[in-house]
Amino acid sequence: MGLTDWFLTDEERDNPSTRLAAWSTGNLVRPLVHGAAYFAELQERLDGLGEDDLLLFADWRGDPDERLSDGGPRVAGAMARAAHRGALVRGLLWRSHLDLLRFSAAENRHLGEDIEEAGGQAVLDTRVRPGGSHHQKFVVLRHESGSARDVAFVGGIDLCHSRRDDARHGGDPQVAPMPAVYGERPPWHDVQVAIHGPAVAEVEKVFRERWEDPAPATRQPLRRLRDHLGRMDDVPPLPRPGPPPVPAGTHAVQLLRTYPHRRSPYPFAPRGERSVARAYQKVLRRASSLVYLEDQYLWSTEVIEPFAEALEREPGLRMIIVVPRHPDQDGWLAGPASLIGRSEALGRLRRAGGGRVAVYDLENPAGTPVYVHAKACVVDDVWASVGSDNVNLRSWTYDSELSCAIVDEEPDPRPPRGARVFARRLRLALAAEHLDRDPGDVDELCDPKAAFEAFAESARRLESWHRGGRRGPRPPGRLRPHPRPELGRVRRVLARPLYRLAVDPDGRPPDLRRTRRF
């Protein structure tokens, strides 16, 4: 099998206006599981920036006071110090909806203001469809002295409260609003990757395309006036890009994105881009043994269809899915709306795969539910993806997203054969955590059937312990069977319009929806 069997070609990406290469080889990609690991490395890297080095970042939410380590610098402070040392700091922050709706307008503006005061530049970017968001979460660091230390971080972790958790899942001391069921310090499971090698330049291109968009960051007069008074409306040109970093490893990397179709089109995606959706469709047509998925939402029967079709086509294919037990938005309507989408999606998968589909959520050793915010997928231990995109229609058509797909050119020597090192190691690392196993004691989980059964047995033991009144020692493992959502008929009827319009919209006009879906 070659890379064209797993990656989209330029033609399949269907966006000739982008500067991105189809993919790059010679990279080294390291998974950073949990915000604590990511933030600690980010702190170290930011501390190493000097004069004329480049710091580029894009985020859905940024809290300026979020600490990067216990007693360590805050996000805004670490970036400001880099700017004071002469680094060029440039940020793209989603302007966000009103804080009244439990979003992050104030936090993003404050982070931007702190960066501006230090001599950097931040843009509150609202160039999205109505009700949409810029959901990309990435950081690029380039060094004037040479590319050996260049790195890009891509994934699902925002630079904000609640994200700095670790494998113990005690939660971030600085918390974001969450439903009470997650406790005072909500446990948070998430994944980011650190990229070294030529793909760093590709992530930089993603930033440059958005930064150099000539459209104003907002068209609302009052917002434009406020940005002008706060010196947040100028977009100084970036320095000319340097050459791509030299090869660093055996990983081929393809960047996947979602951009919506807009009336005022993006110059780098005039008809939008659906490469996240298209990549899943292509890879799932190859899936034959195991799809391992961690996802925040898992909504929408439209998006779940290629997964269901793969299960129907391959009688030996299994799916392991890890999702949060409870929605992230508290409230009478938002919760039911999200549960409708998940109920319909899981129903379709179970009709397609029956007992070959297993869905779990997580809890920490104290029994508190863990909020699964990760967006990671491994297919047949060959193709792996970590990014900002969720498995729902919003992430596949409406919001801006960025994901990193990896195929290692190094085969994994352990049976069954055909796997690649990066994908298999990522899946086994996540499995070791969820099963409470030593990371060195997971070789038998290389076999898809053994892994499927190990997850099922661990969840069965923990669920039995709970139902037995938690008597005796708590069995090892964090997995619990995910319950089937139950909604009353009235709540289901009332919540369905919200689900269709706000939770899972389609970001294209009707004439494009009538053509091939993605």
Side-chain angles (χ1 to χ4, degrees):
M1 293 181 294
L3 293 177
T4 54
D5 294 312
W6 293 95
F7 284 160
L8 298 176
T9 64
D10 281 328
E11 182 180 5
E12 290 169 329
R13 183 184 291 270
D14 193 32
N15 179 15
S17 298
T18 183
R19 306 177 199 172
L20 291 186
W23 59 77
S24 62
T25 58
N27 302 288
L28 173 64
V29 183
R30 293 180 294 109
L32 301 173
V33 182
H34 305 306
Y38 170 37
F39 285 2
E41 179 160 339
L42 180 61
Q43 175 184 334
E44 179 183 355
R45 299 280 180 170
L46 292 178
D47 288 346
L49 291 177
E51 188 171 1
D52 293 331
D53 291 341
L54 197 59
L55 162 58
L56 311 175
F57 75 96
D59 210 353
W60 177 82
R61 171 171 175 155
D63 284 316
D65 64 335
E66 171 67 14
R67 290 193 180 276
L68 295 175
S69 61
D70 289 335
R74 294 174 171 86
V75 168
M79 292 184 175
R81 284 201 290 272
H84 288 314
R85 292 193 299 270
L88 279 71
V89 180
R90 302 290 183 264
L92 287 164
L93 291 159
W94 177 46
R95 186 178 293 271
S96 185
H97 304 313
L98 297 175
D99 287 324
L100 180 65
L101 301 177
R102 303 186 68 173
F103 285 96
S104 45
E107 291 81 0
N108 288 358
R109 175 170 287 279
H110 293 158
L111 177 57
E113 290 169 346
D114 288 349
I115 291 171
E116 293 276 347
E117 187 176 344
Q121 180 65 38
V123 173
L124 295 176
D125 192 353
T126 190
R127 291 169 288 197
V128 294
R129 287 179 65 93
S133 73
H134 280 303
H135 198 239
Q136 297 173 341
K137 311 142 194 292
F138 65 91
V139 177
V140 180
L141 304 177
R142 302 294 305 268
H143 297 79
E144 180 71 13
S145 60
S147 66
R149 292 185 295 144
D150 289 355
V151 63
F153 300 98
V154 175
I157 304 180
D158 300 277
L159 302 175
C160 71
H161 294 167
S162 279
R163 273 49 170 185
R164 188 167 61 86
D165 200 359
D166 57 28
R168 295 169 296 180
H169 287 311
D172 187 335
Q174 297 171 272
V175 301
M178 290 287 288
V181 69
Y182 286 105
E184 294 183 0
R185 285 174 53 168
W188 198 277
H189 176 71
D190 224 328
V191 184
Q192 199 88 351
V193 292
I195 305 170
H196 308 264
V200 173
E202 298 302 307
V203 184
E204 182 182 355
K205 290 178 188 177
V206 175
F207 184 92
R208 286 177 177 271
E209 286 184 339
R210 281 184 56 190
W211 185 264
E212 295 167 2
D213 185 345
T218 179
R219 296 184 182 276
Q220 295 187 17
L222 291 179
R223 286 180 170 178
R224 295 184 73 169
L225 176 61
R226 186 178 182 185
D227 287 354
H228 179 72
L229 294 176
R231 297 177 301 167
M232 298 183 70
D233 60 342
D234 58 319
V235 185
L238 296 171
R240 291 179 60 86
V246 297
T250 61
H251 300 156
V253 169
Q254 178 165 70
L255 296 184
L256 305 170
R257 305 182 301 184
T258 298
Y259 287 117
H261 182 282
R262 299 178 68 229
R263 182 173 299 177
S264 300
Y266 298 112
F268 50 85
R271 296 187 299 121
E273 182 173 317
R274 302 282 181 275
S275 53
V276 168
R278 289 167 174 258
Y280 269 104
Q281 288 183 315
K282 181 170 184 173
V283 168
L284 290 169
R285 286 195 290 267
R286 298 198 59 86
S288 60
S289 59
L290 179 64
V291 174
Y292 179 85
L293 177 67
E294 295 188 353
D295 193 74
Q296 181 184 5
Y297 293 127
L298 198 73
W299 291 339
S300 166
T301 51
E302 293 97 329
V303 168
I304 215 67
E305 192 59 27
F307 293 86
E309 290 174 354
L311 288 164
E312 291 171 336
R313 184 192 67 248
E314 293 289 342
L317 179 64
R318 295 172 174 82
M319 282 191 67
I320 298 174
I321 304 171
V322 180
V323 294
R325 176 163 289 225
H326 305 282
D328 61 340
Q329 292 290 335
D330 208 357
W332 192 79
L333 273 179
S338 64
L339 293 179
I340 286 172
R342 183 173 293 171
S343 176
E344 293 178 347
L346 293 181
R348 175 68 179 103
L349 289 177
R350 285 169 172 144
R351 290 192 299 274
R356 295 179 286 123
V357 177
V359 187
Y360 305 100
D361 48 63
L362 302 175
E363 68 177 30
N364 67 11
T368 305
V370 175
Y371 190 70
V372 178
H373 190 260
K375 304 96 169 54
C377 185
V378 179
V379 177
D380 288 352
D381 283 354
V382 175
W383 181 92
S385 173
V386 175
S388 68
D389 56 287
N390 294 293
V391 178
N392 62 7
L393 198 57
R394 175 174 286 276
S395 281
W396 283 23
T397 69
Y398 207 81
D399 294 336
S400 71
E401 306 284 2
L402 177 65
S403 187
C404 173
I406 306 104
V407 173
D408 198 336
E409 296 185 81
E410 181 181 355
D412 191 294
R414 293 169 292 185
R417 306 303 290 269
R420 305 300 174 90
V421 170
F422 179 89
R424 177 167 279 175
R425 283 182 178 173
L426 174 61
R427 178 176 69 81
L428 294 181
L430 295 169
E433 177 185 319
H434 302 332
L435 296 170
D436 273 336
R437 288 200 186 188
D438 186 294
D441 182 30
V442 290
D443 279 358
E444 77 273 17
L445 303 182
C446 291
D447 178 74
K449 183 178 179 181
F452 192 87
E453 292 174 349
F455 270 60
E457 177 60 20
S458 178
R460 186 197 63 77
R461 288 197 304 264
L462 185 55
E463 191 69 10
S464 178
W465 180 75
H466 276 285
R467 291 183 176 180
R470 302 188 180 190
R471 290 190 296 270
R474 184 185 189 278
R478 319 280 183 86
L479 298 159
R480 297 191 65 182
H482 188 66
R484 294 176 183 263
E486 304 229 353
L487 293 169
R489 184 173 180 275
V490 173
R491 297 180 82 195
R492 183 182 292 273
V493 170
L494 291 175
R496 188 172 294 280
L498 178 64
Y499 163 64
R500 295 305 306 171
L501 294 177
V503 174
D504 229 3
D506 189 343
R508 292 167 298 174
D511 59 322
L512 288 181
R513 293 178 204 164
R514 287 193 292 267
T515 64
R516 184 179 178 184
R517 173 153 289 280
F518 298 112

